[in-house]
Amino acid sequence: MKPVNEAKLVFLSRSANEGFARTAAACFAAQLDPTLDEVNDIKTAVSEAVTNCIVHAYPEKLGTVTLRLRLYPDNTLEIMVKDAGVGIDDVEKARKPLYTTGGDDRSGMGFTIMESFMDTLKVRSRPGKGTTVTMRRRIARRLQA
């Protein structure tokens, strides 16, 4: 299925850009007329994905993060967050709750949170090449008054 609208943003892996990414995703999703709960779910999932890039993909340096947003005719929002960082050795292990490579101050719940707020979550990664997280969420159409 071909998207009816899309946007792409590329930004540095600075902590300040996490808020930028979540706000951009929420503004783009507004075209689907989501509820406040749906907007908050989208923002939280994007925050987790971008934070993973900032903390885990580029632990010793700045890198780029790509956020691609697509809307489909069936009212589905697709969000892709991609980095060219260190990658993940074992994606299955990384997706388990409480697993983290980020130290004691990290909860290890990022992928679990993304999965709980989105309809689908796909994680592709190659060590030394980076990680791509693709999430989808269908927004129910509401009757217009």
Side-chain angles (χ1 to χ4, degrees):
M1 187 175 350
K2 191 173 179 176
V4 295
N5 199 5
E6 62 185 302
K8 180 178 174 182
L9 301 168
V10 179
F11 50 90
L12 289 177
S13 60
R14 295 189 183 279
S15 293
N17 287 332
E18 176 271 328
F20 167 66
R22 67 185 272 132
T23 301
C27 289
F28 189 80
Q31 299 168 67
L32 299 175
D33 195 25
T35 65
L36 270 176
D37 286 341
E38 289 168 330
V39 169
N40 287 331
D41 290 353
I42 292 163
K43 288 167 67 175
T44 299
V46 169
S47 287
E48 292 295 333
V50 171
T51 297
N52 277 354
C53 296
I54 294 165
V55 172
H56 301 290
Y58 304 109
E60 305 294 326
K61 63 178 183 170
L62 286 177
T64 58
V65 178
T66 300
L67 173 67
R68 189 190 70 209
L69 305 157
R70 288 182 171 165
L71 297 178
Y72 290 91
D74 67 348
N75 251 33
T76 296
L77 170 67
E78 181 182 79
I79 302 164
M80 183 209 67
V81 178
K82 181 178 182 179
D83 66 67
V86 300
I88 301 170
D89 289 325
D90 186 340
V91 171
E92 189 175 323
K93 186 175 181 182
R95 288 184 68 162
K96 290 189 184 214
L98 306 179
Y99 176 82
T100 184
T101 60
D104 292 340
D105 61 331
R106 310 308 307 180
S107 71
M109 295 298 290
F111 287 130
T112 302
I113 291 168
M114 286 180 246
E115 196 165 33
S116 70
F117 287 123
M118 302 302 282
D119 296 332
T120 64
L121 171 71
K122 292 180 184 171
V123 182
R124 290 181 311 144
S125 190
R126 288 183 39 210
K129 300 288 184 185
T131 301
T132 301
V133 172
T134 305
M135 304 175 279
R136 285 179 159 238
R137 173 79 182 253
R138 188 169 183 284
I139 304 299
R141 296 182 198 269
R142 290 195 300 283
L143 296 175
Q144 301 295 324

